[in-house]
């Protein structure tokens, strides 16, 4: 039965139709009995009031459903993820626990910037993919152009399992290249599929694309290649399906299907493909982790008999049930009442209840097994990225990467009466979204909220107002700059304190400056010879420098990177302690960094703007005004696509400004590209 579980995600650019497609998947699997639409604000996956109002997915919703194929019932766990870059952490933490994804493309827009982002995030986690080219009924829909973009822009090997019959208003149905049949959806809800012979005017295309399908499989799969060589006539449907399954698991190919989710066409074949071609959890390689005690790498088999291990990929605070830890179980099994260990804290917890999430509903289940995605109650101190394991054998799994925030805003409650609950609410939203950072400005005493973009902060503040009833005053958005050292200097720091009894002593000579390779973080090189500084104190020196990097000497912004070479030093036989060397490193940094010509770095956004020809001049002039550099201008389906690099500081309010400039005829998407030096004429105004 375990072969019948599929853990899948739905990924795409904003507005490619992810939520609409998910809604149809749920309808045809019988999970919901009425089709919801994003435009009507009644979709099952978008539970949040803002998701309904804005028509976008903010938090990745999880839902379990079933699909019957060839007398087998498949349990499909679906996670619908946001397409907006501001919610990148939602995508990241979902992909970390999924086995495969359906990538949704708009048939007229093709591969867009955020599609590339999430695609390569999925690549990082080694996830199998199926592509669904959606909106075949839309103006400018071109299945074959998108197929080509998947190849050129995403460097994938697309495997068309279907080709469309017509496009735009003439989109009738699809041709199944494996069955060699034409499929039509005849009723309004798309529940009845009629299989017919391929129409005469599509026979040549169908033959050509079926041949391409067979040839691609022969190139990518040895077993299939041998059959193909011996006798092409002997190739059966089953042989093709098995070859697709093998190549999909190895991520050698990406099967491609098409349809129109909104018009209820093409969804059931996609469900069949999910069941047929995506791997079950126990068909994947064993999971690697670290033994928490010995730090040795260990491998766990993905079955129910193995030692229990799981990863918390999200924390949800529910009004009725309190704190829910969303958990992917990788090995073993758990029952309610079992005691498990949070490996990060070393604490043991008793599981109160195990829940299966069905979007806004939950179902209590007796046990969770390897491969399941469940929610647990009773895990009090759980955070995103925590490993849970059996108490007998603590296993640490690879955590989840949380991107650093790039924008911040000062906030305070409008009334003093909300002051107490304001702090509690901020703690709660930080637990749910680890990419938000709340801190107090040491100079002004203000509360600062940092996030991944304007929309991210806007949505968070709206959530505080709508869900918790707290009205908020906010300042103007500010950029989270970074600092960098531009020169290398040698420096000696000596800490000597005598205050009766044992004193404090640490002496270090070091070289400090920028990293040569521009990689982020600290590069620490220990060149101490002859034990002049005892070995046990060296990690404290490194720790001191690492902590000091959090606050640069220019304006207190974190350093992007730094290289420190520890050259020499000395220690006192009785007065020296590890903490003394930590202090010496921190003090040495403060003193030395000032002479290393520190400079400010600012986040540069990669911006893509789609507009019509007549606004080319206006859009170009506006990019220049914002200190932007245009990197490319493409034309497709009568629309111009501008790609530019623009400093984040110049993008505040860009979306509404652009709408005004182009009378609402342009769309924009942004993602963090890199950090670059702030020009001197601007840096001078920021530093004074």
């Amino acid at each position: 039965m375990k072969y019948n579980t599929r853990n899948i995600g739905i990924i795409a650019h904003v507005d490619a139709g992810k939520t609409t497609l998910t809604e149809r998947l749920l309808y045809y699997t019988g999970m919901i009995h009425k089709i919801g639409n994003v435009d009507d604000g009644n979709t099952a996956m978008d539970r949040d009031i803002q998701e309904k109002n804005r028509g976008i997915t903010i938090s990745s919703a999880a839902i379990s459903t079933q699909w019957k194929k060839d007398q087998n019932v498949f349990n499909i766990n679906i996670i619908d993820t946001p397409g907006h870059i501001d919610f990148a952490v939602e995508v990241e933490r979902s992909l970390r626990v999924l086995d495969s994804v359906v990538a949704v493309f708009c048939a007229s827009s093709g591969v867009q910037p955020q599609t590339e982002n999430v695609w390569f995030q999925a690549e990082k986690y080694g996830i199998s993919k199926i592509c669904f080219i959606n909106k075949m009924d839309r103006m400018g829909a071109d299945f074959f152009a998108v197929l080509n973009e998947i190849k050129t822009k995403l460097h994938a090997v697309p495997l068309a399992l279907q080709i469309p019959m017509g496009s735009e208003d003439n989109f009738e149905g699809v041709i199944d290249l494996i069955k060699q049949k034409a499929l039509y959806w005849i009723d309004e809800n798309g529940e009845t599929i009629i299989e017919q012979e391929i129409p005469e005017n599509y026979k040549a295309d169908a033959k050509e694309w079926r041949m391409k399908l067979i040839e691609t499989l022969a190139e990518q799969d040895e077993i299939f290649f041998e059959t193909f060589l011996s006798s092409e006539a002997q190739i059966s449907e089953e042989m093709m399906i098995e070859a697709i399954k093998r190549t999909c698991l190895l991520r050698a190919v990406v099967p491609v299907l098409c349809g129109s989710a909104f018009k209820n066409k093409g969804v059931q074949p996609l469900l069949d493909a999910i069941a047929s071609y995506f791997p079950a959890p126990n068909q994947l390689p064993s999971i690697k982790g670290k033994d928490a005690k010995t730090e040795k790498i260990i491998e766990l088999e993905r079955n129910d008999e193995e030692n229990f291990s799981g990863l918390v990929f999200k924390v949800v605070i529910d009004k009725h049930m309190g704190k829910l830890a969303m958990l992917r179980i990788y090995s073993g099994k758990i029952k309610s009442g079992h005691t498990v260990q949070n490996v990060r804290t070393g604490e043991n917890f008793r599981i109160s209840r195990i829940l299966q999430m069905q979007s806004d509903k939950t179902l209590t289940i007796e046990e969770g097994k390897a491969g399941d995605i469940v929610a647990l109650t009773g895990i009090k101190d759980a955070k995103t990225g925590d490993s849970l394991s059996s108490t007998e054998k603590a296993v640490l799994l690879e955590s989840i990467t949380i991107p650093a925030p790039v924008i911040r805003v000062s906030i305070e409650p409008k009334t003093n009466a909300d002051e107490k609950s304001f702090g509690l609410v901020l703690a709660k939203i930080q637990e749910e979204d680890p990419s938000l950072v709340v801190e107090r400005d040491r100079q002004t005493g203000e509360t600062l909220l940092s996030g991944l973009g304007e929309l991210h902060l806007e949505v968070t503040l709206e959530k505080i107002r709508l869900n918790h009833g707290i009205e908020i005053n906010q300042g103007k958005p500010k950029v989270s700059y970074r600092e960098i050292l531009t020169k290398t200097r040698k420096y000696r720091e000596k800490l000597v304190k005598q205050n009766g009894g044992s004193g404090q002593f640490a002496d270090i000579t070091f070289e400090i400056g920028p990293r040569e390779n521009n990689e982020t973080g600290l590069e620490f090189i220990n060149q101490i010879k002859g034990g002049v500084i005892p070995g046990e104190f060296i990690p404290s020196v490194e720790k001191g420098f690492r902590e000091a990097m959090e606050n640069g000497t220019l304006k207190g912004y974190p350093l992007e990177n730094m290289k420190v070479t520890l050259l020499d030093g000395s220690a006192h036989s009785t007065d020296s302690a590890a903490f003394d060397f930590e202090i010496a490193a921190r003090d040495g940094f403060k003193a030395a960094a000032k002479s290393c010509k520190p400079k400010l770095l600012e986040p540069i956004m990669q911006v893509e703007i789609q507009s019509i020809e007549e606004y080319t001049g206006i859009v170009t002039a506006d990019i220049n005004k914002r200190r932007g550099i245009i990197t490319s201008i493409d034309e497709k389906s009568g629309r111009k696509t501008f790609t530019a690099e623009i400093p984040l500081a110049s993008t505040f309010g860009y979306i509404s400004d652009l709408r005004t400039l182009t009378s609402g005829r342009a769309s924009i998407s942004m993602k963090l590209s890199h950090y670059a030096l702030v020009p001197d004429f601007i840096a001078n105004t920021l530093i004074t």
Side-chain angles (χ1 to χ4, degrees):
M1 184 63 194
K2 188 44 59 142
Y3 279 106
N4 292 356
T5 295
R6 301 289 181 270
N7 291 317
I8 71 162
I10 315 275
I11 59 169
H13 187 88
V14 181
D15 207 29
K18 286 186 317 302
T19 303
T20 304
L21 175 64
T22 309
E23 206 66 21
R24 300 308 183 263
L25 294 175
L26 298 182
Y27 177 74
Y28 297 122
T29 54
M31 179 53 62
I32 56 173
H33 302 292
K34 183 179 180 291
I35 293 180
N37 283 318
V38 173
D39 295 344
D40 301 335
N42 60 356
T43 57
M45 293 302 267
D46 288 345
R47 295 171 289 161
D48 189 287
I49 188 165
Q50 281 196 78
E51 296 186 335
K52 289 184 165 68
N53 293 346
R54 293 174 188 267
I56 58 171
T57 303
I58 297 165
S59 60
S60 48
I63 199 160
S64 296
T65 190
Q66 280 78 36
W67 177 244
K68 196 172 179 187
K69 182 180 186 290
D70 306 333
Q71 272 59 60
N72 289 317
V73 177
F74 290 85
N75 182 50
I76 301 174
N77 295 316
I78 304 173
I79 292 188
D80 177 33
T81 59
H84 204 286
I85 186 66
D86 282 14
F87 310 107
V89 75
E90 282 288 342
V91 183
E92 182 81 26
R93 60 181 170 188
S94 300
L95 291 175
R96 172 67 184 82
V97 296
L98 292 172
D99 303 329
S100 30
V101 289
V102 175
V104 186
F105 301 84
C106 168
S108 64
S109 305
V111 176
Q112 293 170 278
Q114 184 58 4
T115 325
E116 293 182 41
N117 266 10
V118 290
W119 184 276
F120 293 118
Q121 274 177 298
E123 279 289 287
K124 184 170 82 177
Y125 290 118
I127 294 172
S128 299
K129 302 174 209 66
I130 285 176
C131 297
F132 184 74
I133 298 176
N134 192 23
K135 301 194 179 186
M136 280 305 306
D137 56 321
R138 197 175 181 177
M139 277 277 292
D142 187 338
F143 173 83
F144 301 103
V146 182
L147 204 62
N148 191 48
E149 282 193 1
I150 292 169
K151 194 175 181 175
T152 56
K153 289 190 177 179
L154 303 176
H155 317 298
V157 178
L159 190 73
L161 307 186
Q162 301 172 340
I163 57 169
M165 290 185 284
S167 64
E168 301 182 350
D169 291 343
N170 302 319
F171 176 59
E172 298 174 78
V174 303
I175 292 168
D176 184 324
L177 297 172
I178 297 172
K179 288 183 180 173
Q180 299 187 81
K181 294 284 182 192
L183 309 181
Y184 299 90
W185 283 261
I186 54 165
D187 59 345
E188 196 185 328
N189 282 348
E191 285 172 81
T192 313
I193 306 172
I194 289 185
E195 262 187 32
Q196 290 185 349
E197 291 307 311
I198 298 168
E200 207 57 48
N201 57 329
Y202 285 110
K203 276 188 174 167
D205 283 349
K207 190 179 177 186
E208 180 197 337
W209 280 95
R210 189 172 197 270
M211 198 61 220
K212 281 185 183 174
L213 168 60
I214 289 170
E215 285 170 355
T216 306
L217 281 176
E219 281 169 23
Q220 302 293 338
D221 185 79
E222 272 183 47
I223 301 169
F224 190 82
F225 178 65
E226 283 167 21
T227 312
F228 176 68
L229 275 187
S230 59
S231 169
E232 199 189 310
Q234 282 182 357
I235 293 170
S236 65
E237 279 184 35
E238 287 69 34
M239 284 174 184
M240 290 173 82
I241 289 166
E242 285 304 314
I244 296 166
K245 198 179 283 187
R246 286 191 298 270
T247 50
C248 192
L249 176 63
L250 295 170
R251 304 191 341 273
V253 301
V254 283
V256 183
L257 296 91
C258 64
S260 165
F262 185 68
K263 294 280 174 71
N264 310 318
K265 291 177 180 177
V267 182
Q268 296 95 327
L270 176 61
L271 279 160
D272 284 344
I274 288 165
S276 298
Y277 308 129
F278 275 159
N282 59 344
Q283 292 169 324
L284 293 164
S286 54
I287 187 87
K288 284 187 171 68
K290 268 186 191 173
D291 185 306
K293 284 181 184 154
T294 65
E295 295 217 333
K296 277 186 182 165
I297 299 288
I298 51 174
E299 291 195 14
L300 297 167
E301 294 299 321
R302 296 175 184 249
N303 59 41
D304 303 347
E305 289 71 48
E306 180 64 91
N307 198 57
F308 162 68
S309 73
L311 188 82
V312 176
F313 66 97
K314 187 170 182 177
V315 173
V316 180
I317 296 165
D318 185 90
K319 276 180 190 164
H320 310 293
M321 287 177 286
K323 193 170 186 178
L324 296 176
M326 303 287 292
L327 181 80
R328 163 71 198 260
I329 303 174
Y330 283 103
S331 62
K333 57 185 175 184
I334 43 166
K335 290 188 175 181
S336 48
H338 273 188
T339 300
V340 298
Q341 184 178 119
N342 182 336
V343 185
R344 176 179 58 85
T345 62
E347 285 185 66
N348 293 343
F349 292 99
R350 188 174 168 275
I351 298 165
S352 312
R353 285 163 77 196
I354 303 172
L355 304 165
Q356 193 180 65
M357 302 300 283
Q358 300 190 334
S359 194
D360 57 343
K361 294 190 275 294
T362 51
L363 187 71
T364 302
I365 54 175
E366 275 309 299
E367 66 175 5
K369 297 178 178 178
D372 287 347
I373 290 176
V374 295
L376 304 182
T377 63
I379 313 293
K380 294 183 191 70
D381 191 29
K383 283 190 167 73
T384 296
D386 279 356
S387 298
L388 301 186
S389 70
S390 63
T391 50
E392 299 83 49
K393 190 176 180 184
V395 178
L396 194 63
L397 302 172
E398 186 195 340
S399 193
I400 293 169
T401 315
I402 309 292
V406 293
I407 178 175
R408 60 203 175 122
V409 66
S410 63
I411 53 171
E412 62 176 19
K414 276 189 178 170
T415 62
N416 291 338
D418 284 331
E419 192 72 51
K420 191 179 174 189
S421 52
F422 178 61
L424 295 171
V425 166
L426 287 180
K428 187 173 161 182
I429 61 162
Q430 255 189 301
E431 272 195 275
E432 291 195 318
D433 183 351
S435 62
L436 289 167
V437 176
V438 178
E439 57 198 339
R440 284 191 89 76
D441 188 313
R442 284 197 292 252
Q443 291 162 331
T444 63
E446 293 174 310
T447 299
L448 297 174
L449 177 69
S450 303
L452 302 179
E454 256 191 303
L455 184 62
H456 189 206
L457 294 185
E458 200 182 303
V459 165
T460 303
L461 296 175
E462 190 81 345
K463 197 183 267 188
I464 295 170
R465 190 177 69 78
L466 289 172
N467 299 0
H468 305 283
I470 299 175
E471 294 292 337
I472 282 179
N473 289 327
Q474 66 181 89
K476 284 192 172 140
K478 292 175 187 166
V479 175
S480 289
Y481 293 95
R482 300 263 174 96
E483 294 185 17
I484 187 101
L485 306 178
T486 61
K487 292 273 183 269
T488 299
R489 295 277 184 266
K490 191 174 167 185
Y491 192 82
R492 181 183 183 191
E493 178 68 30
K494 199 170 178 183
L495 170 75
V496 184
K497 277 189 184 171
Q498 210 63 45
N499 41 12
S502 63
Q504 287 179 284
F505 183 89
D507 173 19
I508 53 173
T509 300
F510 58 91
E511 201 172 65
I512 181 171
R515 286 179 75 156
E516 284 123 33
N517 51 14
N518 273 341
E519 280 185 36
T520 55
L522 173 67
E523 183 184 359
F524 182 79
I525 298 165
N526 173 25
Q527 288 188 356
I528 293 298
K529 304 252 184 338
V532 289
I533 297 176
E536 67 264 27
F537 296 155
I538 304 294
S540 299
V541 178
E542 184 176 353
K543 187 185 174 196
F545 280 116
R546 198 174 295 284
E547 285 177 359
M549 280 179 77
E550 294 301 309
N551 298 98
T553 52
L554 263 184
K555 289 285 282 181
Y557 292 113
L559 260 72
E560 174 79 343
N561 69 44
M562 183 169 83
K563 180 182 176 182
V564 172
T565 307
L566 186 59
L567 303 167
D568 199 0
S570 62
H572 192 280
S573 56
T574 55
D575 287 359
S576 288
F579 189 57
D580 302 339
F581 280 89
E582 203 178 304
I583 295 169
R586 285 206 294 260
D587 292 349
F589 167 81
K590 281 179 198 158
K594 286 175 185 165
S595 64
C596 295
K597 297 228 169 141
K599 291 201 169 181
L600 278 185
L601 294 172
E602 63 180 340
I604 305 293
M605 308 303 282
Q606 186 187 324
V607 178
E608 186 181 271
I609 298 164
Q610 287 196 345
S611 182
I612 53 174
E613 178 77 50
E614 66 184 88
Y615 293 112
T616 300
I618 291 171
V619 171
T620 307
D622 191 56
I623 290 170
N624 292 335
K625 191 180 87 181
R626 294 174 188 271
R627 295 196 284 128
I629 297 163
I630 295 173
T631 52
S632 71
I633 302 177
D634 296 319
E635 193 162 348
K636 186 177 163 192
S637 309
R639 284 175 76 77
K640 286 266 200 234
T641 301
F642 303 83
T643 308
E645 290 182 350
I646 304 176
L648 175 69
S650 308
T651 65
F652 297 147
Y654 201 175
I655 295 168
S656 53
D657 289 355
L658 193 69
R659 280 194 193 123
T660 309
L661 285 171
T662 61
S663 310
R665 303 290 298 279
S667 66
I668 180 171
S669 65
M670 290 185 255
K671 67 175 183 183
L672 178 66
S673 170
H674 60 283
Y675 276 79
L677 283 173
V678 177
D680 287 343
F681 72 94
I682 289 174
N684 294 338
T685 64
L686 294 169
I687 294 164
T688 50

